[in-house]
């Protein structure tokens, strides 16, 4: 486990480039070497070297972990083979009899973890429709954490992180925040008081749909020791090659997100004027309260939006008519990607629960890429026009 002891005065868009300092690389290499060795020679029978085995430590993974820690302004960061592996490691902290509060509107894979694995492990949980309405009465003696995903997936509802933190800490509960949609470029949960931030780094940090990765960042040393033990014991660590790929991809994070946000604003405006669209969802769009929260705790809205098409739109035909935009899950890459959450990312939810959250068969999630915004809009508009009955 490596502690980040470096603070930086660099702006974030410089830090993503310089955050894994070339001056610390072997032989003066500008890009870090990839250490693929699975095992390392002991100095002698009684002394191992700095590195022993790839699952326990790896020089390339440590560089990626230091980079994420610096971007989060965190003391510790841990790299995993997926975002779900990162969350599973966090959830290992909880024991039978514990209780967790979570937003009802979360990624389907996380919902599956709650509904299947927490139940099996006798960990109680409550889903709350709106964490902004959280009160002291929601906490029990055995409440150990509040889990936040903000903006939520896929309806982009916004939760006031600082408010939840104040309530949770009053009841000695941790606050865990999935910050995948925002990244630390746009939102800093740790600075707002959250105890643990989690990422599917497959998305914006990687940025090119060519790696699977997850991260945990935090400041508490005792929790960090625990997570390091779980990381090593469970073994779902980030590979050396993916660690290198993540460092490379992260260098363009600020540039990509700036372009993607610019494109997303243009797409929102176009869709809001399209007769085939009932409603467009983005962070802060649901109500004035959430709009104010998003403006206060984040420096942008990201580039994931959702929209509900009218009943006269045949969604199967709509997806088939798209010429440039791909029908696929995931988000955060340079390509524009579109999906129907009800039958993909949120399929683990029972239908009644999905519909209560507004995730029905007419809802579409769109991860806006870096292509020319006119081309993105034109592709959406022609497909919508051709799919209306």
């Amino acid at each position: 486990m490596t502690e980040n002891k470096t603070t930086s005065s660099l702006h974030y868009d410089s830090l993503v480039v310089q955050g894994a300092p070339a001056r610390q690389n072997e032989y003066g290499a500008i890009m870090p070497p990839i250490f693929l060795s699975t095992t390392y020679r002991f100095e002698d029978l009684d002394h191992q070297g700095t590195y022993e085995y790839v699952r326990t430590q790896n020089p390339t993974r440590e560089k990626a972990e230091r980079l994420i820690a610096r971007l989060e302004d965190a003391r510790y960061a841990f790299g995993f083979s997926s975002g779900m592996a990162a969350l599973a490691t966090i959830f290992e902290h909880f024991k039978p009899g514990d209780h967790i509060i979570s937003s009802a509107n979360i990624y389907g894979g996380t919902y599956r973890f709650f509904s299947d694995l927490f139940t099996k492990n006798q960990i109680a949980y409550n889903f709350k429709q709106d964490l902004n309405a959280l009160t002291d009465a929601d906490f029990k003696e055995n409440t150990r954490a509040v889990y936040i995903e903000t903006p939520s997936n896929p309806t982009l509802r916004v939760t006031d992180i600082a408010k939840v933190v104040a309530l949770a800490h009053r009841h000695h509960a941790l606050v865990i925040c999935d910050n995948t949609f925002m990244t630390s470029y746009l939102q800093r949960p740790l600075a707002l008081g959250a105890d643990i931030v989690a990422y599917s780094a497959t998305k914006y940090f990687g940025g090119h749909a060519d790696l699977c990765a997850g991260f945990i960042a935090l400041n508490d040393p005792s929790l960090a020791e625990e997570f390091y033990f779980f990381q090593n014991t469970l073994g779902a660590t980030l590979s050396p090659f993916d660690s290198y790929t993540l460092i490379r991809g992260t260098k363009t994070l600020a540039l990509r997100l700036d372009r993607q946000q610019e494109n997303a604003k243009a797409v929102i405006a176009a869709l809001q004027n399209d007769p085939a669209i009932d409603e467009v969802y983005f962070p802060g769009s649901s109500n004035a309260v959430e709009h104010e929260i998003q403006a206060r705790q984040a420096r942008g809205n990201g580039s994931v939006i959702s929209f509900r098409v009218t009943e006269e739109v045949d969604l199967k035909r709509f997806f088939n008519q798209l010429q440039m935009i791909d029908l696929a899950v995931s988000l955060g890459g340079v390509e524009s990607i579109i999906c129907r959450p009800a039958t993909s990312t949120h399929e683990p939810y029972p239908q009644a629960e999905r519909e209560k959250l507004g995730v029905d068969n007419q809802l579409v999630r769109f991860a806006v890429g870096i292509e020319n915004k006119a081309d993105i809009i034109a592709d959406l508009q022609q497909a919508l026009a051709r799919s209306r009955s």
Side-chain angles (χ1 to χ4, degrees):
M1 183 178 76
T2 302
E3 181 178 357
N4 172 41
K5 298 181 179 179
T6 304
T7 58
S8 177
S9 59
L10 293 177
H11 292 85
Y12 193 98
D13 46 0
S14 295
L15 195 57
V16 289
V17 179
Q18 301 290 341
R23 289 173 179 80
Q24 296 178 11
N25 291 336
E26 294 76 3
Y27 309 112
I30 295 299
M31 286 300 293
I34 307 174
F35 287 85
L36 295 175
S37 180
T38 57
T39 190
Y40 294 81
R41 188 182 65 234
F42 280 40
E43 293 179 2
D44 56 48
L45 187 61
D46 299 316
H47 301 93
Q48 66 182 54
T50 303
Y51 300 96
E52 176 189 4
Y53 186 67
V54 64
R55 172 170 42 80
T56 307
Q57 321 104 332
N58 173 266
T60 316
R61 187 173 77 236
E62 286 183 358
K63 291 177 189 295
E65 290 172 334
R66 287 195 189 99
L67 169 62
I68 298 300
R70 291 190 75 189
L71 294 179
E72 297 294 321
D73 198 17
R75 291 178 67 181
Y76 309 97
F78 300 95
F80 298 88
S81 57
S82 70
M84 284 309 304
L87 286 180
T89 299
I90 295 170
F91 293 151
E92 277 293 317
H93 173 75
F94 302 104
K95 299 173 176 58
D98 287 349
H99 171 250
I100 298 173
I101 301 169
S102 172
S103 166
N105 193 350
I106 53 178
Y107 167 57
T110 311
Y111 174 88
R112 184 168 50 217
F113 200 107
F114 274 78
S115 61
D116 293 356
L117 298 187
F118 277 165
T119 300
K120 185 189 75 170
N121 294 333
Q122 300 177 7
I123 296 170
Y125 60 89
N126 284 115
F127 288 130
K128 195 166 179 65
Q129 290 292 325
D130 182 6
L131 283 180
N132 292 321
L134 195 69
T135 69
D136 290 305
D138 292 300
F139 289 82
K140 305 176 181 181
E141 287 188 8
N142 61 336
T143 301
R144 298 290 177 258
V146 180
Y147 179 80
I148 303 172
E149 187 181 284
T150 183
S152 67
N153 182 2
T155 56
L156 291 311
R157 299 299 298 272
V158 175
T159 296
D160 189 332
I161 298 172
K163 178 184 176 181
V164 172
V165 165
L167 275 167
H169 288 178
R170 190 153 66 230
H171 293 272
H172 309 291
L174 298 171
V175 173
I176 305 160
C177 186
D178 183 331
N179 199 39
T180 297
F181 277 27
M182 289 283 99
T183 78
S184 48
Y185 182 47
L186 301 178
Q187 183 169 269
R188 300 289 188 93
L190 295 181
L192 293 168
D195 300 284
I196 305 164
V197 62
Y199 286 104
S200 172
T202 308
K203 313 302 193 293
Y204 288 105
F205 284 107
H208 294 81
D210 59 0
L211 72 94
C212 192
F215 273 89
I216 297 170
L218 71 162
N219 289 314
D220 184 274
S222 60
L223 275 176
E225 286 284 353
E226 184 179 337
F227 291 154
Y228 178 64
F229 170 79
F230 291 146
Q231 182 192 41
N232 183 43
T233 303
L234 299 174
T237 51
L238 188 62
S239 74
F241 194 89
D242 281 346
S243 297
Y244 165 84
T245 306
L246 181 126
I247 293 170
R248 183 183 63 183
T250 299
K251 288 179 181 290
T252 59
L253 171 65
L255 284 171
R256 287 185 279 107
L257 256 174
D258 284 346
R259 175 62 174 260
Q260 286 168 307
Q261 288 192 108
E262 176 190 333
N263 285 353
K265 289 178 182 177
V267 170
I268 290 167
L271 291 176
Q272 286 174 330
N273 292 312
D274 195 301
I277 302 298
D278 267 340
E279 193 163 1
V280 183
Y281 302 92
F282 52 91
S285 65
S286 294
N287 54 61
V289 172
E290 292 188 19
H291 177 82
E292 185 277 327
I293 294 169
Q294 182 70 11
R296 171 165 37 89
Q297 72 182 17
R299 54 180 300 271
N301 287 338
S303 67
V304 178
I305 66 171
S306 292
F307 55 90
R308 179 170 284 104
V309 298
T310 63
E311 291 294 334
E312 65 180 357
V313 173
D314 180 336
L315 268 184
K316 184 174 183 179
R317 182 167 173 78
F318 166 71
F319 289 127
N320 287 339
Q321 289 296 324
L322 290 168
Q323 301 300 307
M324 182 183 76
I325 299 165
D326 288 315
L327 172 60
V329 295
S330 200
L331 55 102
V334 292
E335 307 87 359
S336 290
I337 286 179
I338 201 163
C339 71
R340 180 168 69 178
T343 52
S344 57
T345 62
H346 285 65
E347 188 274 335
Y349 277 83
Q351 182 177 345
E353 292 299 313
R354 284 201 307 268
E355 291 180 353
K356 191 185 299 182
L357 297 170
V359 185
D360 56 32
N361 284 337
Q362 297 300 104
L363 186 73
V364 174
R365 191 187 75 183
F366 184 33
V368 184
I370 67 167
E371 303 95 342
N372 186 287
K373 58 189 174 186
D375 293 332
I376 298 172
I377 292 167
D379 198 21
L380 289 170
Q381 289 177 333
Q382 65 82 21
L384 287 168
R386 293 179 180 182
S387 61
R388 292 175 69 193
S389 59

